[in-house]
Amino acid sequence: MKRAGLALVAIVLTVAAAGRGTAEAAVPAHATLTFLAASCPGESAISQARLAGKDPKASDNGTPEAVPSDIGAYGCVPTAAKGLFLLGGSTKDSVFLDPGLTLPAVRSGSATGYDGSATVIAAGQTVYLPAGQAQTRRFSAADFPTTVVTAAPLPFIDLQCYRDGGNNDNADGVGWNALALPAGTQTFCILYTWDGTAAKPKEVPKPADTATAVATKPVETKPPVTATVEPGGPTKAIETATAVATKPVETKPPVTATAEPVEPGAALVVHKFVPDGKGGWRPAAPPGDWVFLLADANNTGLQKFVDGELVPLAPGDYLVTELDPATGGPNPLLFDLFVSPNGAKACPKDPKGGNLAAKVSVPGGAKGAGGVTHLCAYNKQPGEQPKVSVTKTFVKEGDGVVVWKVEPSAAADLLVWDANAAGCQEFNGAACGDIANGGYGKFSATAPGQYFLIEQKFEPKGEECEVSNTVEWGLDPDGPRESLTVTYRCSGAPTMGWLLLGLFGTFAVGTAWWVNRKAGQDA
């Protein structure tokens, strides 16, 4: 019996070991993602970059991907956070809570925010990603409103996931447009926030012994010492001291390290209008219910204010946007916002719409003092949104490259695709992103005058060529898009153009323009 019992134990151990080995071998190949959070003072490199209007990237500190050492390199420290979640639009079963890939993280039902049901990944937590599969994984921090194009409001600074893309928005991806990761790859998403402290002022070198310093020496207030000195005494030294005390330079104003005084009197005020129910507009009454944000030229928030409030301004350039009271981001109901040169009475009764940010400039000197800038702001009812499109203009052609200018009809949050783009340059707040690699670029509601210069390559055939380019735009990576196709023809025919209409993209009517040039004529 003892021998039989030992044999049975041996069999059980052998089966258990075999089962354990099978289980270990069954763990699928995977990569990992760890979420970290960092708190950054105003004097940190990443805070300074954000304040200067720059776009911090994961590659700032010597590695192409976001890594934990970036936190210290930026001048920040680890901190806690509510967590990270998967946005709608991510591939189903692309993130798991266990290495066996049996517990998938739940995606948000929204592509633009947290819906209350998505799995939240805590700071310091590691999750698992299937290896070798091209999947879309889009993340946002639950601590702040999700912004897919524009910068999220402070104290948010940046969310950097893996190889961080463009803009300081609260949305980033480990494969925003699908990515396959090799097994064993360790990736990070790092949330950077401002701790509320200001940058330490730079030390201004103290001036050398100036006339002011000499004028405040006690010796200057004393009566001349020469009156009490015996003959033969050290009159030379005393005479020097008396001369210093009576130099005309003592009457100059004190030399200080402060800046020039700000010219007083400039201000702005926003006049708010809402639908009157009859197809027109009426002044919002009483004023003071609508919140706006005053930002500097780099779109760094300076202060919040309400309609009807007189806001003092120093000389400089500013951007004004309206805030959504629910999210703290741009108000999606804003229909139009612009400067009225002739005051509130000149606010039109039939605004065209599409301006979602207003630029205000205050000149220095007497020219800017005492001036009040009046802004007209119009809000539509929920569900009524301004129509914004994208325009494309031929710029030049040469050496097998056509250059197109792509811009929105008004400042707006838009995603833009151009499958033929071989290169991209961004201007006035536009962000090329991955548009030259098959992905999309971004336009912002707070960047008036923004545009891309898109380069498209082609094979010239003598004097004849025909180059077509299609640009697409939409609000969501997985949503419907509109499109515009433009064709450039260098056929030697006289310059002329005509309009073609057709259907492009999903539920979109596109417009195709033909651009011709004379043979030998410079574009």
Side-chain angles (χ1 to χ4, degrees):
M1 287 294 294
K2 181 183 290 187
R3 187 175 300 165
L6 291 174
L8 179 60
V9 170
I11 293 172
V12 170
L13 292 176
T14 301
V15 171
R20 187 166 57 248
T22 302
E24 291 173 356
V27 174
H30 61 265
T32 52
L33 167 69
T34 302
F35 173 54
L36 302 174
S39 177
C40 308
E43 62 183 0
S44 64
I46 194 169
S47 293
Q48 290 295 301
R50 169 72 186 271
L51 292 174
K54 298 179 181 179
D55 181 16
K57 296 190 182 335
S59 58
D60 287 344
N61 301 301
T63 60
E65 300 91 7
V67 293
S69 60
D70 290 343
I71 296 176
Y74 273 135
C76 308
V77 296
T79 189
K82 290 182 181 177
L84 196 72
F85 68 95
L86 269 173
L87 284 167
S90 299
T91 302
K92 183 181 179 181
D93 297 344
S94 60
V95 176
F96 291 83
L97 305 180
D98 65 314
L101 308 186
T102 62
L103 301 172
V106 178
R107 302 168 296 173
S108 174
S110 168
T112 58
Y114 183 70
D115 66 352
S117 65
T119 301
V120 176
I121 303 166
Q125 182 178 353
T126 296
V127 292
Y128 304 87
L129 322 176
Q133 299 182 30
Q135 295 179 314
T136 297
R137 308 175 193 89
R138 300 170 183 168
F139 297 98
S140 181
D143 304 60
F144 303 97
T146 299
T147 54
V148 181
V149 177
T150 57
L154 291 172
F156 177 93
I157 296 178
D158 199 13
L159 176 64
Q160 296 183 359
C161 292
Y162 194 46
R163 299 182 177 180
D164 182 50
N167 296 338
N168 303 317
D169 50 10
N170 184 16
D172 203 8
V174 182
W176 185 270
N177 290 314
L179 176 70
L181 292 170
T185 302
Q186 168 68 66
T187 65
F188 294 91
C189 274
I190 306 178
L191 169 66
Y192 293 93
T193 58
W194 176 48
D195 69 1
T197 61
K200 293 181 179 179
K202 295 181 179 179
E203 293 186 4
V204 178
K206 293 182 179 180
D209 291 334
T210 62
T212 303
V214 174
T216 56
K217 289 180 180 178
V219 68
E220 297 166 10
T221 61
K222 294 181 180 179
V225 185
T226 51
T228 59
V229 176
E230 296 294 330
T235 57
K236 187 173 291 186
I238 294 172
E239 288 168 2
T240 302
T242 304
V244 171
T246 58
K247 281 183 179 180
V249 74
E250 298 167 9
T251 60
K252 291 183 179 181
V255 178
T256 67
T258 58
E260 292 294 323
V262 173
E263 295 289 345
L268 71 80
V269 62
V270 175
H271 306 283
K272 189 69 183 179
F273 297 85
V274 295
D276 62 3
K278 303 176 182 179
W281 302 88
R282 63 173 177 80
D289 290 337
W290 304 88
V291 181
F292 295 82
L293 177 68
L294 179 69
D296 63 16
N298 295 319
N299 202 23
T300 299
L302 300 176
Q303 71 174 87
K304 296 179 182 179
F305 64 97
V306 295
D307 60 304
E309 178 182 353
L310 195 65
V311 182
L313 297 177
D317 293 325
Y318 302 91
L319 283 174
V320 176
T321 54
E322 185 177 341
L323 298 181
D324 184 342
T327 66
N331 193 336
L333 298 180
L334 181 64
F335 175 71
D336 219 346
L337 175 63
F338 52 86
V339 174
S340 172
N342 299 314
K345 294 182 179 180
C347 290
K349 297 180 180 179
D350 55 345
K352 295 181 179 179
N355 299 301
L356 305 184
K359 182 178 180 180
V360 176
S361 295
V362 179
K367 187 176 181 181
V372 177
T373 299
H374 296 265
L375 278 73
C376 311
Y378 301 80
N379 272 45
K380 297 288 281 185
Q381 297 290 352
E384 298 178 310
Q385 295 298 314
K387 179 67 174 178
V388 180
S389 61
V390 170
T391 62
K392 182 185 294 183
T393 308
F394 170 79
V395 178
K396 63 180 180 179
E397 170 262 319
D399 298 326
V401 175
V402 171
V403 178
W404 308 95
K405 182 180 180 181
V406 178
E407 58 188 328
S409 59
D413 292 340
L414 288 177
L415 307 181
V416 184
W417 292 261
D418 191 324
N420 298 114
C424 175
Q425 299 179 57
E426 57 194 40
F427 298 90
N428 301 333
C432 286
D434 291 326
I435 195 169
N437 298 310
Y440 59 76
K442 298 178 182 179
F443 289 136
S444 169
T446 58
Q450 62 199 314
Y451 65 93
F452 299 132
L453 287 182
I454 299 293
E455 298 176 357
Q456 179 180 359
K457 296 181 179 179
F458 70 98
E459 290 291 337
K461 297 180 180 179
E463 285 294 321
E464 296 186 3
C465 72
E466 185 173 293
V467 185
S468 294
N469 184 280
T470 298
V471 63
E472 298 179 301
W473 64 92
L475 301 177
D476 184 273
D478 298 317
R481 305 179 189 177
E482 294 185 71
S483 67
L484 171 67
T485 296
V486 178
T487 298
Y488 169 74
R489 175 180 292 167
C490 45
S491 62
T495 300
M496 60 181 295
W498 62 90
L499 177 66
L500 298 176
L501 294 178
L503 290 175
F504 300 90
T506 307
F507 306 111
V509 177
T511 305
W513 291 89
W514 292 77
V515 182
N516 297 272
R517 74 168 166 82
K518 294 178 181 178
Q521 176 183 335
D522 291 334

